[in-house]
Each structure stands twice: as structure tokens, then as C-alpha cells.
Amino acid sequence: MYKRILVPVDGSQSSAAALTEALKLAKEQGARVCLVHVYERVKHVVTEGVVDLTPSLRRQGEQLLAEALRQAHKAGVKATVALVAAGSRRISAVIVEQATAERADLIAMGTHGRRGFERLILGSVAEGVARRATVPVLLLPRR
């Protein structure tokens, strides 16, 4: 049924749950997974000036993808990785673009369950993906 499953990884518990489920599904279906981490450019103002945290966030993304790739290999599932800079785009839009580029037929991702004012103003990445995606989206809560 599924041949390519896109799995965004961010180091959260719900992301880990989504990866676990995606690997089970991929193994059962004979599918491969496309692991993606999207990072944003972040600068922090300190008394000495401005510190660019982006290189550190990129390295953290590389580590998250390497660990997810190890898990895929351990599960006997073929996997590819993509580390993508969001630039000025929303993370949810980048994930959907990556799913299209990878020709994914399913997106499996975690949800963080934002509530109240924060959700109203910022929105949820998972909700944004579900609204924009042209393929099914499997959302998994944190366990």
C-alpha cells in the first residue's frame, strides 16, 4: 500500500513515537522511509552582540537524523535523510514540499497538542501539515 513514508524528526517524544510507528508500517509494507529535519535560522541577542545559533541547530538536526537512520537500519528498513533549512517558510510548508520532492505517499509525524493562545497565534506544525498535505497524514501523540 505505501512505498515511501516521510517522517519529520525533531527529538520530541511524539516524533519518536511517530518514527517507531512509521518503521513498523514500513517493515510490514516493504516501504522505505524518508527522514527529514527542518531547522530555522535563529539569532540571539546578548550583551556582547548577536549570536547566531543556526550552526548549532543544524548540528543538532544532523545528530537527530543520524540516530533516526540507525533506528531504521536496526529495524531493517531502507531510509534516506534530508536536513532542510526553513528559510522564511513555515516548517509545515517545508515538510509538505519535502513529501512532494520525495514522492512520499504517507507522512507520519508526531503532534505536540498545543493549546490556547499559543496555538491560536502560532498554529501547530502538525495541523499545518494536515491542512496542506496532498497525501495521508498519520499523526501520533506523545506516549
Side-chain angles (χ1 to χ4, degrees):
M1 186 172 169
Y2 298 113
K3 296 189 185 312
R4 290 189 173 104
I5 303 171
L6 185 92
V7 185
V9 294
D10 65 6
S12 68
Q13 289 178 334
S14 60
S15 173
L19 177 59
T20 298
E21 289 301 315
L23 292 175
K24 286 180 196 174
L25 186 58
K27 183 77 170 174
E28 291 171 2
Q29 302 273 319
R32 64 174 246 210
V33 295
C34 308
L35 307 164
V36 63
H37 178 78
V38 182
Y39 66 97
E40 296 178 287
R41 182 173 197 91
V42 176
K43 292 186 178 185
H44 183 67
V45 179
V46 293
T47 55
E48 297 84 32
V50 177
V51 176
D52 187 357
L53 301 174
T54 307
S56 176
L57 294 174
R58 182 180 170 87
R59 280 191 302 278
Q60 181 182 24
E62 290 168 346
Q63 292 169 351
L64 289 169
L65 287 171
E67 176 55 32
L69 186 60
R70 278 191 289 279
Q71 290 177 25
H73 288 157
K74 185 177 178 182
V77 174
K78 291 182 182 178
T80 59
V81 298
L83 181 62
V84 184
S88 62
R89 301 168 294 170
R90 288 183 164 270
I91 291 175
S92 57
V94 175
I95 291 169
V96 172
E97 289 168 12
Q98 195 65 30
T100 301
E102 294 286 345
R103 297 188 333 259
D105 44 19
L106 176 70
I107 300 170
M109 65 184 296
T111 178
H112 302 303
R114 288 186 184 177
R115 302 239 193 285
F117 188 72
E118 180 182 36
R119 180 173 179 209
L120 178 66
I121 298 300
L122 299 175
S124 158
V125 172
E127 182 178 349
V129 170
R131 289 179 187 266
R132 288 181 173 92
T134 58
V135 298
V137 179
L138 175 62
L139 295 176
L140 292 128
R142 131 182 96 215
R143 292 184 183 173

